[in-house]
Amino acid sequence: MRPSGRKTDMMRAVSFERNVSKHAEGSCLVKFGDTHVLCTASLEERVPPWLRNGGKGWVTAEYGMLPRSTGDRMRREASAGKQGGRTLEIQRLIGRSLRAVVDLEALGERQITVDCDVIQADGGTRTASITGAWIALYDCLKWMEQRSMIKLDRVLKDHVAAISCGVFAGQAVIDLDYLEDSAAETDANFVMTGSGGIVEIQGTAEGAPFSEAQLLELMALAKAGIADLVAKQKETVAGPQQ
Amino acid sequence: MRPSGRKTDMMRAVSFERNVSKHAEGSCLVKFGDTHVLCTASLEERVPPWLRNGGKGWVTAEYGMLPRSTGDRMRREASAGKQGGRTLEIQRLIGRSLRAVVDLEALGERQITVDCDVIQADGGTRTASITGAWIALYDCLKWMEQRSMIKLDRVLKDHVAAISCGVFAGQAVIDLDYLEDSAAETDANFVMTGSGGIVEIQGTAEGAPFSEAQLLELMALAKAGIADLVAKQKETVAGPQQ
Amino acid sequence: MRPSGRKTDMMRAVSFERNVSKHAEGSCLVKFGDTHVLCTASLEERVPPWLRNGGKGWVTAEYGMLPRSTGDRMRREASAGKQGGRTLEIQRLIGRSLRAVVDLEALGERQITVDCDVIQADGGTRTASITGAWIALYDCLKWMEQRSMIKLDRVLKDHVAAISCGVFAGQAVIDLDYLEDSAAETDANFVMTGSGGIVEIQGTAEGAPFSEAQLLELMALAKAGIADLVAKQKETVAGPQQ
Amino acid sequence: MRPSGRKTDMMRAVSFERNVSKHAEGSCLVKFGDTHVLCTASLEERVPPWLRNGGKGWVTAEYGMLPRSTGDRMRREASAGKQGGRTLEIQRLIGRSLRAVVDLEALGERQITVDCDVIQADGGTRTASITGAWIALYDCLKWMEQRSMIKLDRVLKDHVAAISCGVFAGQAVIDLDYLEDSAAETDANFVMTGSGGIVEIQGTAEGAPFSEAQLLELMALAKAGIADLVAKQKETVAGPQQ
Amino acid sequence: MRPSGRKTDMMRAVSFERNVSKHAEGSCLVKFGDTHVLCTASLEERVPPWLRNGGKGWVTAEYGMLPRSTGDRMRREASAGKQGGRTLEIQRLIGRSLRAVVDLEALGERQITVDCDVIQADGGTRTASITGAWIALYDCLKWMEQRSMIKLDRVLKDHVAAISCGVFAGQAVIDLDYLEDSAAETDANFVMTGSGGIVEIQGTAEGAPFSEAQLLELMALAKAGIADLVAKQKETVAGPQQ
Amino acid sequence: MRPSGRKTDMMRAVSFERNVSKHAEGSCLVKFGDTHVLCTASLEERVPPWLRNGGKGWVTAEYGMLPRSTGDRMRREASAGKQGGRTLEIQRLIGRSLRAVVDLEALGERQITVDCDVIQADGGTRTASITGAWIALYDCLKWMEQRSMIKLDRVLKDHVAAISCGVFAGQAVIDLDYLEDSAAETDANFVMTGSGGIVEIQGTAEGAPFSEAQLLELMALAKAGIADLVAKQKETVAGPQQ
């Protein structure tokens, strides 16, 4: 039995609120249950030094948690003077995930930075970030298309979404919340495209090692969950920008 | 004529949403027009080293802006490796303002940290922060009172709220938005208590120096505005926590 | 009764020693009683990036305290690895105060940095810094005029000087020394021009909030004091450079 | 055809040189072809703050690359002032991998730090590090057993080793060298125990997303390779310490 | 011919002004010509962690240059975020030099920090610092003796002073000023005690290597110069504290 | 009697292994007994900003110690966030020593960085570094000569090598190992050229001051030792590159 009473293959309530920022070219407040992440996509007419004058663009991400997004207040990274290893790891993952569905040449020599700031955390902040970042990126590209800068469907090749699965109390479950995450024996994050391709898989044994059979069980859950998330993304961008 | 069409003595729409954080002991999303600040109050059972074993508590504040809270994306301070001078100046101001209405001995040897994170900026982030921080602090102290840790009205001696006033296009106006702030000749921030005492006043000539008469004109606007803000705070905490 | 025996409206002995640095284009050792600050103005033929190729110059300031300028030795900021919030706040204030009386276009695309280093501290280091920095800036501009780079009186539009006032033991007093500053109920810093315009005002209630009447009382003291300081500046720059 | 002429399922020459440090309790120079990593295990009689007085020990890892271990000289992280995201990510992975086979309670309240310093890099530095780190850890625990501090086989529950696999030129291959790694379509790192359990799996699509079938193909290669590595570890620790 | 017209064995005018700080237990403004260094000795009733509860004290030094102590303004180290290699090297040298003449056990478990801040630089800042630091240290120890904390002559075993010598325009000269220092072929710093023992010698070939004969020539100059400096130190501390 | 049983004028076994890095233009693993340092020379086609467009090149060095190169594990400088004073001092010394025998104009506008990383430490790491760095530099310049970039014998004017000498148990000894170094009364490092010129001398009294006679005794030992080291360097570079 899961602490939340959910069935093993049941995700939390997922919602996307678009256009939550007056300033950003694209933005989305994504909620996976009590995990809330504000994603903003910012367009800049410059690329990192190693890409200059190559005609290619760049998509990158930054991740942060508000100090009291968590049960105990965490030290503010700006005051600590550096981003921790977990933060750097997550923002590199978000960036790679988004770039997997973007044609950087079609984007042209510009950079889009997607900031994922966790307003409230209850497990799964990185998967919610990736899933919401795609919406913010979509809206940023749409903003560009409206200004005849790009063709949206040439730049954005597919959807990308992510979900965590894990072995909790001996059972494979999807979309772990904080209580489950802290006690899971195995924890895996899956990033997949709309067409079902795998972009990234990260599985970690928290306690005993896991088997290939268990991994496949988690992947089956993830596939179904990500298909749902992609359907919700489609429905969201088909609707009005609010 | 103000860009927003407001009269010289008219503040923007102000709202307080309480209890917006699942984790924090007190929280408030404050809006002054398009300026939105998330304030959370976190209780910790320890005090800074210089206060240890003295029986007194401490109230402090930290301030941050999300990278795309502004028109152009700002560099994330956590990634830059340090908090800028403006950030440090503002968080010191918020902390002093709150301590002006708290009896630190009645609080006991504990620390409350109020984090003010700007979700969206349109001028006046420091004054919105102070005004919303008071609500978060109130709810944190109420949380403590419900657990018999303190008596709320012995710890919290008064309201505190803040507003900016300035000389824009030759006229004294209240609650400057970003467009006005960028063009103001004089910019002043006022922090006052519910009983009308001045806690802090910071006036700066952006262009030509200003006169004592102008300062008094700004102060008159501020007094009226802060009285309004305090009335709204009273109404808010009298209502349910949502 | 003030600890120093001074009357409420009596400043400490003020002196300016010009030309104390062999290297700087302008320099001044300013003393407000036992508070001694070394101010040097350095001319550089380059401006910050955001001003490049705009034809305008820049005046900025840096502030520091020698580790044993104070009663207890403070940690050296260079060794701590960063400048504290108070340091950044003060150097921003000094810079703003000087720029209020400089015509940056008449200066041309150059930067003058005024370093204010506190050799010995006894309260009022920021007001002594501003007042002495004006002399260093004047001498730097004179040095430039002698080399036909600028016209001094087109660049430097007015005097600027500063003084602290506060409520100590229930009475409004001027130019607080360390003993008074530590015990003051209210502490305010005033920066004004030679023609009596207000450049900056910063008033803080250290204990109970203060009233508008008290603020006006402090301002009256400040006006008289700053007029005295400006008179001393005039006398100083009229004399030989030593 | 692989650049090195290896068959798809052929690893590079692997060797372990034990006891290469005069000072460390355990040490190993591991080579996967031209990738050379020096691993040292250091015993300290203290644990991180969050474990104090809990009776449990800790095993952690740090990772670094010598500036000219790579084709182009990289900036020294000590001089840059911080460890990069990739470094932090890898050292967190090494630490988790080792802890997966250690009984931290049987270790007692002590910390073992395994430093993995890349002397020369040619792809696969993280997998070589994990595989060599196990030898250094083994020898450190043996050193402790010889001093009657622990029972080696109660602390060290299993072997752990790692290998990278990827899709290169359309084919699944094992143990990618730098040339292959730079051009691989998919890159996956596998960490497994001696008994075949999965400790960690990290798969990334560098170009097009990959399929579940491809992942299983990579995993089949990894299983065989890791079994070989574990056999070599067994042979190594069965031999003399040199 | 030396730029200053001095003979090869002639030092610049040397002076010590004692008691220049209202706060420090001992202080000295030392001048070697246009090189001016403010030395303050601060007593603290605590020692570094590695000496705790050992009954021994510690003497250490910190060194800094005001930004415009030099011909061109240098970046403030506090703003750069770290002390440079040259700064660290010099402050380590000053500390070692002072400790060479102090009985740390007789000092007791306390720390004296001597801050050497260069007000104006014209070559030889490290040798002036050491020579002036001895005076500040002497006065700090005298202050302690007056309070019956120590016996001065049991703690301070000897004088220590320093001078630079170098080969300039083919000739061995003493006490190089900046012009000579920039052009010297060989530059050597000597630290010696009152009884003529060598505490530290640092010789560097700036251009062509130098010979043992040249080193001995420089040392002969240094011996005579340091004897003079020690005589001046004796005269200074025999006089009143001003 | 020395702990190692060596005679006073006997150095430890010295060896140079060339060409130990697949990537670096020149490399050398130097051993002075149990002190092992990996030296790599990296050629870059750019110079530091202050040399740009001047036609001159630059040779610089960086130094580091692996965390467990020492008896107790040291904190990794990359993780501490800065290089310590000792590190900076040593790498400045290595750079100066190498530049003393290089014609920077003949090198042309390029930079060679020699990294000296201590794999295992047992005293004398800086002298081993300098001596081995010369080999790495030689091989880098030879690499350049083979590509017709320079003439080796016009760029490299002489050999440079270094040795430590000290007073241990009352006797002058050469090439101190860690046990001797920790207990030495006087410690001196000598850097000399192949033709016997002195490049750098650094002598420090660890306990009582030393005399000129003692310094000369140490220098005599150093001369003989460095002559031996230079002979070994010649023999090494005359042989094959392995």
Side-chain angles (χ1 to χ4, degrees), chain F residues 37-57:
Chain F
V37 184
L38 181 59
C39 307
T40 58
S42 297
L43 173 66
E44 289 166 301
E45 290 291 332
R46 53 180 190 76
V47 288
W50 76 89
L51 282 178
R52 267 175 214 156
N53 303 318
K56 277 179 64 175

Side-chain angles (χ1 to χ4, degrees), chain A residues 83-86 88-89 92 96 100 193 196-205 207 209-212 215-216 219 223, chain D residues 83-86 88-89 92 96 100 193 197-205 207 209-212 215-216 219 223:
Chain A
Q83 296 177 293
R86 179 183 168 279
L88 293 170
E89 198 170 313
R92 284 157 55 94
R96 282 198 308 273
T193 62
I198 307 171
V199 167
E200 188 102 20
I201 171 171
Q202 297 186 335
T204 301
F210 56 95
S211 65
E212 189 173 329
L215 180 66
L216 293 177
M219 190 176 295
K223 271 186 195 170
Chain D
Q83 297 178 293
R86 179 183 168 278
L88 292 170
E89 198 170 312
R92 284 157 55 95
R96 282 199 308 272
T193 63
I198 307 171
V199 167
E200 187 102 19
I201 173 171
Q202 296 186 334
T204 301
F210 56 96
S211 66
E212 189 173 332
L215 180 68
L216 292 177
M219 191 176 295
K223 268 185 198 171

Side-chain angles (χ1 to χ4, degrees), chain E residues 198-199 201 203 205 210 212 223, chain F residues 198-199 201 203 205 210 212 223:
Chain E
I198 307 170
V199 167
I201 172 171
F210 56 96
E212 188 173 332
K223 269 187 196 169
Chain F
I198 307 171
V199 167
I201 172 171
F210 56 95
E212 188 174 331
K223 271 186 195 170

Side-chain angles (χ1 to χ4, degrees), chain A residues 103-182:
Chain A
D103 182 328
L104 296 172
E105 298 195 2
L107 176 58
E109 203 159 325
R110 304 166 172 116
Q111 174 167 296
I112 298 174
T113 303
V114 183
D115 286 286
C116 297
D117 284 277
V118 179
I119 302 297
Q120 188 173 275
D122 187 33
T125 63
R126 82 187 70 189
T127 51
S129 293
I130 292 167
T131 309
W134 186 89
I135 301 279
L137 177 62
Y138 176 94
D139 277 346
C140 176
L141 293 170
K142 185 145 202 174
W143 184 96
M144 292 171 74
E145 191 179 52
Q146 285 160 354
R147 282 151 188 80
S148 305
M149 301 167 76
I150 54 153
K151 296 291 278 181
L152 169 52
D153 54 13
R154 287 202 42 211
V155 176
L156 194 61
K157 300 180 295 182
D158 202 343
H159 285 252
V160 73
I163 200 70
S164 75
C165 297
V167 180
F168 173 77
Q171 280 206 301
V173 299
I174 194 168
D175 191 23
L176 289 74
D177 58 29
Y178 179 75
L179 274 180
E180 293 170 330
D181 196 33
S182 322

